[in-house]
Amino acid sequence: MLRITISLTILAAIGSAFPIAQDPRAAVIALPRRTEIATSGKVFSKEAAARDRLRVKAKYGSAKREGQLEKRNASTSHKRSIHPGAKRAVSDISTATAAPDTSAPSATPLTTAASPGASATARYGMEPLTDVYEDGIDELYYGPITIGSNAQNSTVDFDTGSSDLWVPLTNCTTSADPVDPTASTKCFGDLFNCSASTTCHGSSTIFNITYEDGSQTSGKVATDTVTIAGLTVHSQGFGAVDRETGGASSGPESGLLGLGFPDNAVSQKTPWFISLAESGALAMDVFAFYMTRLGSDGSELCIGCINNLKYTGNISYHKLDPNATDGMQLYWNTPSTGFQYGDNALEATDGFSAIIDSGTSLIYIPTAAATKLYKSIPGSKNQSSELGAGFWSYPCNTTLDEISLVLGNNSYAVNPLDFNIGRVSNTSSDCVGGIVGGDEGEGLAIIGDEFMKNWYSVFDYGNLRVGFAKAI
């Protein structure tokens, strides 16, 4: 499936003596608990890997890029300016420079007092997340939302790599086989009843997301009240889905909430987080993910806040890079020179732009960059013909050097437990690496949960940057 984003301004951060969870005004967003991507005895799952690859293709494939370019060419205002510190129109999205910013945040306690120009009722919301661990891979994080005048419950996958909210309707049907439209059953999960909400308004605008395997999510664009962690947006646009085919309905969550930028929205509606931020409702123009592993509780999505109890040291920030996507700010992406193995810098030929994507399980980098990385690991083998395009293996008994993503002057290591996504087979002495080669988007790399579990990840819309600190 797929996922969304927002913004505003405030003088705030979190002090170590003041855990925000103790603030009685704090609302919380529940995302599934997270476990490790693979255990030492786990066998690699082609099925789980294929599901992850399909999500990546749907978000970053050539068909999606063509649609984005058509949208850009149809508009003369795709390059937008931003004015931090004031309530902004939705069109005020910036083309920020790509230079990394490693300045540390203030060490003062989190404050909910709004900065000049922001709403006096500015708030934040924080809630535990749930992790879907299936076939040896942490596939996604989902959590509860309510929709409509009567606050109907639903669940969504929170995805920084996409920009649409969509939920299935009560009349939604699904087929497990995209080539057999007669094999229909009711869609899975909490289904939304638009007619039961006095604030739900439909339209004739088609909503459709098609995956590379032919599976599909389709319906019409609608608007209604959407609340997450006690934070509400009225007349929020979303995909009201009445048909799911193939693998589009395979997860335990009902729908998806994208935390990306407006130019990437299939519905052409402003994403929920940006709608919320532009209304002046938040204490800070940020949201932040903390992801646990090994089945432990504690994963969370902090909206309008940063929880300093979930990381150590300072947060290093890196500016977003719209130049990598034809001048449009589509994703939470920042420039990278490549990966590093031990002390060996494995610079990509032309570098790449790293998209920080909470809705993708693994890490996908350009083929040439992946080849450089694995050729630095003794005994590694290209397993594309056996396991799927772009996958490599290495001897399980290898003591790996540190594998790090290089952003600016900083290196961000990936835990070997997260890098190892299982043995090639029950009897194999080789393990599969969680960094996959694939040219999913021109000059783009998709940096998923395998990375984010290691680094507390801050998405700063007000300053158009992403930040990382070592997760506890």
Side-chain angles (χ1 to χ4, degrees), residues 341 344 346 369-381 392:
Y341 184 68
N344 184 17
L346 308 170
T371 301
K372 276 188 178 182
L373 170 63
Y374 284 103
K375 287 195 171 180
S376 299
I377 302 175
S380 63
K381 304 171 190 173
W392 289 70

Side-chain angles (χ1 to χ4, degrees), residues 336-354:
S336 171
T337 56
F339 271 79
Q340 182 170 308
Y341 184 68
D343 296 326
N344 184 17
L346 308 170
E347 294 187 0
T349 304
D350 299 309
F352 51 71
S353 196

Side-chain angles (χ1 to χ4, degrees), residues 164-231:
D164 290 283
L165 166 63
W166 64 263
V167 293
L169 300 175
T170 50
N171 66 338
C172 179
T173 58
T174 181
S175 167
D177 184 353
V179 301
D180 182 7
T182 63
S184 293
T185 59
K186 204 170 188 62
C187 289
F188 175 83
D190 297 307
L191 307 180
F192 177 61
N193 186 348
C194 181
S195 62
S197 170
T198 59
T199 50
C200 183
H201 301 286
S203 76
S204 59
T205 303
I206 299 296
F207 178 83
N208 184 289
I209 296 174
T210 301
Y211 298 82
E212 191 176 66
D213 68 342
S215 59
Q216 194 175 72
T217 298
S218 60
K220 301 288 179 63
V221 175
T223 60
D224 208 340
T225 300
V226 177
T227 299
I228 303 173
L231 303 170

Side-chain angles (χ1 to χ4, degrees), residues 25 28 49 90 104 106 129 221 226 265 293 303 309 320 325 334 343 346 354 358 364 370 379 387 411 449-450 468:
R25 293 169 291 179
V28 181
V90 170
S106 166
L129 303 183
V221 175
V226 177
R293 61 170 65 81
I303 301 174
L309 297 183
L320 299 188
T325 48
T334 190
D343 296 326
L346 308 170
S358 66
Y364 297 83
L387 304 179
S411 297
D449 301 339
E450 179 183 342
F468 308 102

Side-chain angles (χ1 to χ4, degrees), residues 229-255:
L231 303 170
T232 298
V233 173
H234 299 284
S235 299
Q236 174 62 47
F238 66 97
V241 171
D242 57 19
R243 182 65 174 164
E244 297 177 354
T245 63
S249 58
S250 60
E253 80 289 2
S254 298

Side-chain angles (χ1 to χ4, degrees), residues 6-13 110-115 118-125 231 273 276-277 280-286 303-306:
I6 66 179
S7 114
L8 207 141
T9 328
I10 152 172
L11 303 171
L110 174 69
T111 172
T112 55
S115 62
S119 166
T121 59
R123 298 188 301 154
Y124 60 91
L231 303 170
F273 180 81
L276 185 68
L282 291 174
M284 301 175 71
D285 292 358
V286 306
I303 301 174
C305 52
I306 296 170

